[in-house]
Amino acid sequence: MTNYLEYAISLAEMVDGQTGQNPPVGAVVVKDGNIVGIGSHLKQGEAHAEVQAIHMASERCKGATIYVSLEPCSHYGSTPPCALKIIEAGITKVVYATKDVSLEKTGHDVLEDHGIDVTYRPSDRAHRLYDSFFKSKSQQKPIVTVKVSCSLDGKQANDHGESKWITNKKVKQDVFRLRHEHDAILTGHQTVLADDPTLTTRIEEGKNPKRFILSRKGDIQFDQQIYQDPTHPVTIITENENLKSPYEHIEIIYLPKCEVEQILNVLFERGIGRVLVEAGPNVSSQFLTSSFTNQFILYYAPKLIGGTGQYQFYQTDNVNPLDQTPQFQIMNTQMLDDNVKLTLKRK
Amino acid sequence: MTNYLEYAISLAEMVDGQTGQNPPVGAVVVKDGNIVGIGSHLKQGEAHAEVQAIHMASERCKGATIYVSLEPCSHYGSTPPCALKIIEAGITKVVYATKDVSLEKTGHDVLEDHGIDVTYRPSDRAHRLYDSFFKSKSQQKPIVTVKVSCSLDGKQANDHGESKWITNKKVKQDVFRLRHEHDAILTGHQTVLADDPTLTTRIEEGKNPKRFILSRKGDIQFDQQIYQDPTHPVTIITENENLKSPYEHIEIIYLPKCEVEQILNVLFERGIGRVLVEAGPNVSSQFLTSSFTNQFILYYAPKLIGGTGQYQFYQTDNVNPLDQTPQFQIMNTQMLDDNVKLTLKRK
């Protein structure tokens, strides 16, 4: 049997990270043993994967099967329901890999009511792809990835603040890719002061995420590199009511309490589907403690920094009993030359 | 081509960890396309691998080839030279995988002088096996492995000293195996006080390493579990001249300075070929800083402990520039259920 459903999932994975608050979806239309249409949902607000694939297959949809990574929608969102498109196109069989638990009315039932042969064929690979999406949608918050680069003993810098460079060039490239796959990047004011970063995606065809800077006190130094480019907007989130923006491309958002939940609400309202937290110990620790964090990417360089651990990436005021500390699941380990990358899921 | 040399290396790997200050060696004798003898060096002071294999092959050595993981010795040590045995047995061809750089006179030349066809066929796998051995022999110090179990943020306990359990059961089993492969285990007095451990090897056919406890002050509490079993000797290394042993099975070694180099000299003089350092932040940090350490085994549990980091596994008084911190090479990563094991080599 040819793995058309796997192809649909592959098409979804290709657009993972560019669909904003929408899930990445892939679809394949098959007729008489040939693929006659393929589609991916490319961008929030644009055509869904099924519609793309049906459009490509055109008249050959009649009597065809469509394989979709996610259950077709049956509601009018920013586009008409895909279930309707499938029915109108004359497709007679639908196979999908993930149930859309975020919708009230299921596409499965609507399709079956119209005499279409519908099969739900669960797939771990697809499940992993949508897991965070469903959680994010139900919480009305972006999917959160925290990224930390450190030594084996968990330090982002030595006690003098020296941090260039702990991890290697391949990690840097990998972080560019991570940025590319997120709609926004969030960092702390302290990191901007210490590193004077641009937080851009320096890879071929890389897209730059929106940049958010967290500064409770709001004691911003606007001469930093990150504030200079008018074509690259920056948003500052602060508890300081009096902070005013000196430039049009810098937005200031006042929040009475700059805590994880409030920050994520603000980002979601602004259309952010995925945010990458790339910051120092303060901000990283806040997000790693929070159960709103979905993913944790940890790059270890094979060295020991020692000292007192002022730049230890995870610090808390309270001492937690071991069974109440934040727990993760290691999803993947990967060597990046002499460094190692752990991909973890928050439990 | 059949990989007889690989078989010889496999035979060496099987006895890795039980040959004390001698290298683990394997040998295979091949005649007319059949293996006619195999051997491993089982124990320091006993027959070398070549001698075992020649003995098994007996008369069939005449005109045969011997494959050896390490260049045959040509000196009278605790046993007569293997090169001589090979010549006397009538073997006509020798293939070996590693040059013995620890010897002045090479077996290769001696064998060739007797008209034997000798081939040095270098192997990365064999090189990895002997790398630490040559360093250890030239320094007259044991091979040192440091083992640390910690959270992702490098903590061996929370700030209240709670450490049971951070890593999982599979790690525990793996540590028993590590102990089995070492002649001695070294820990600190603080670890004995905190954990009251027995430091034994609780696996089938596991051998218990000799136990060494480092206590500069020598303020020992002899009622701890580790001091109770007369069949399991313990050695205490201390800077306290006045410390006396209350039991026959507890030896006290006085050292004016309990530093890594001096400690390792003492262990080597007592016949220790490999020592496993399993201790808290103080002792672990001393050994991880030292260039006498060969191997570093790091088990990470996928959790974050936080706090101030009192039990951060690596702590130093000085702040080192990043290019002067201890560097390692990651040799292997392995998942142990939900924990991850890194095997690192000191650079």
Side-chain angles (χ1 to χ4, degrees), chain B residues 137-198:
Chain B
K137 195 167 174 187
S138 73
Q139 293 177 333
Q140 294 286 292
K141 300 211 169 25
I143 295 174
V144 180
T145 304
V146 178
K147 168 245 138 182
V148 167
S149 299
C150 64
S151 60
L152 293 168
D153 54 329
K155 294 182 178 76
Q156 294 182 300
N158 70 12
D159 286 348
H160 292 158
E162 187 189 356
S163 67
K164 286 179 181 168
W165 296 101
I166 293 173
T167 44
N168 66 20
K169 280 185 184 166
K170 228 169 180 171
V171 167
K172 209 164 175 174
Q173 286 299 312
D174 204 71
V175 171
F176 288 150
R177 177 140 290 282
L178 262 187
R179 289 180 186 167
H180 169 77
E181 290 167 357
H182 286 79
D183 305 318
I185 187 165
L186 178 80
T187 193
H189 173 52
Q190 289 303 328
T191 301
V192 174
L193 277 189
D195 298 347
D196 196 15
T198 58

Side-chain angles (χ1 to χ4, degrees), chain B residues 67-299:
Chain B
Y67 295 84
V68 200
S69 59
L70 180 67
E71 183 179 2
C73 66
S74 62
H75 68 128
Y76 283 87
S78 49
T79 60
C82 291
L84 203 66
K85 283 276 180 188
I86 290 169
I87 294 158
E88 287 171 359
I91 283 170
T92 49
K93 195 175 166 188
V94 175
V95 181
Y96 67 94
T98 321
K99 280 218 171 286
D100 192 341
V101 294
S102 72
L103 300 177
E104 276 176 38
K105 198 175 164 192
T106 84
H108 188 119
D109 294 346
V110 173
L111 289 163
E112 267 187 350
D113 289 348
H114 284 77
I116 289 172
D117 172 5
V118 187
T119 305
Y120 164 45
R121 195 178 295 160
S123 145
D124 282 347
R125 197 175 143 213
H127 184 75
R128 277 195 297 276
L129 193 61
Y130 296 116
D131 196 24
S132 300
F133 165 73
F134 292 135
K135 189 178 159 198
S136 148
K137 195 167 174 187
S138 73
Q139 293 177 333
Q140 294 286 292
K141 300 211 169 25
I143 295 174
V144 180
T145 304
V146 178
K147 168 245 138 182
V148 167
S149 299
C150 64
S151 60
L152 293 168
D153 54 329
K155 294 182 178 76
Q156 294 182 300
N158 70 12
D159 286 348
H160 292 158
E162 187 189 356
S163 67
K164 286 179 181 168
W165 296 101
I166 293 173
T167 44
N168 66 20
K169 280 185 184 166
K170 228 169 180 171
V171 167
K172 209 164 175 174
Q173 286 299 312
D174 204 71
V175 171
F176 288 150
R177 177 140 290 282
L178 262 187
R179 289 180 186 167
H180 169 77
E181 290 167 357
H182 286 79
D183 305 318
I185 187 165
L186 178 80
T187 193
H189 173 52
Q190 289 303 328
T191 301
V192 174
L193 277 189
D195 298 347
D196 196 15
T198 58
L199 302 177
T200 52
T201 303
R202 277 152 279 168
I203 51 172
E204 199 188 359
E205 305 278 358
K207 66 179 162 55
N208 289 316
K210 290 182 181 167
R211 300 174 298 176
F212 289 82
I213 295 164
L214 187 59
S215 172
R216 287 203 156 142
K217 285 196 205 155
D219 50 344
I220 303 293
Q221 293 176 16
F222 287 105
D223 56 348
Q224 299 278 114
Q225 214 183 175
I226 201 165
Y227 304 115
Q228 301 316 312
D229 183 355
T231 65
H232 267 153
V234 176
T235 306
I236 297 167
I237 304 178
T238 184
E239 291 178 3
N240 178 351
E241 282 185 90
N242 302 315
L243 184 66
K244 298 279 171 273
S245 168
Y247 309 116
E248 215 172 297
H249 68 280
I250 301 177
E251 186 195 7
I252 313 269
I253 296 178
Y254 164 71
L255 267 183
K257 266 193 167 298
C258 278
E259 288 180 358
V260 171
E261 183 163 7
Q262 286 73 33
I263 295 165
L264 293 178
N265 287 340
V266 162
L267 294 180
F268 198 78
E269 282 159 19
R270 273 165 177 71
I272 302 302
R274 291 157 180 261
V275 59
L276 177 66
V277 178
E278 239 190 291
N282 269 342
V283 177
S284 298
S285 296
Q286 267 184 71
F287 276 85
L288 286 168
T289 301
S290 165
S291 62
F292 290 119
T293 288
N294 306 86
Q295 202 180 211
F296 178 25
I297 308 277
L298 187 48
Y299 300 97

Side-chain angles (χ1 to χ4, degrees), chain A residues 127-237:
Chain A
H127 184 75
R128 277 195 297 277
L129 193 61
Y130 295 116
D131 196 24
S132 300
F133 165 73
F134 292 134
K135 189 179 160 198
S136 149
K137 194 166 174 188
S138 73
Q139 293 176 333
Q140 294 285 294
K141 299 208 169 30
I143 295 173
V144 180
T145 304
V146 178
K147 167 245 138 183
V148 166
S149 299
C150 64
S151 59
L152 294 169
D153 54 330
K155 294 183 179 76
Q156 294 182 302
N158 70 13
D159 286 347
H160 292 158
E162 187 188 357
S163 66
K164 286 180 181 170
W165 295 102
I166 293 173
T167 45
N168 67 19
K169 281 186 183 165
K170 229 170 179 171
V171 167
K172 209 164 174 175
Q173 286 299 313
D174 204 72
V175 171
F176 288 149
R177 177 141 290 282
L178 261 188
R179 289 180 186 167
H180 169 77
E181 290 167 356
H182 286 80
D183 306 318
I185 186 165
L186 179 81
T187 193
H189 174 52
Q190 290 303 327
T191 303
V192 173
L193 278 188
D195 298 348
D196 197 14
T198 59
L199 302 177
T200 52
T201 304
R202 277 151 281 168
I203 52 173
E204 198 187 0
E205 304 280 356
K207 66 179 163 55
N208 288 318
K210 291 184 180 165
R211 299 173 300 175
F212 289 82
I213 295 164
L214 187 61
S215 172
R216 287 204 156 144
K217 286 196 204 155
D219 49 344
I220 303 293
Q221 293 176 17
F222 286 106
D223 56 348
Q224 299 279 113
Q225 215 182 176
I226 200 165
Y227 304 115
Q228 301 314 312
D229 183 354
T231 65
H232 267 153
V234 176
T235 304
I236 298 167
I237 303 178

Side-chain angles (χ1 to χ4, degrees), chain A residues 5-6 9 69 96-98 120-129:
Chain A
L5 192 60
E6 292 293 318
I9 299 168
S69 59
Y96 67 94
T98 322
Y120 165 45
R121 195 178 294 159
S123 143
D124 281 349
R125 197 175 144 214
H127 184 75
R128 277 195 297 277
L129 193 61

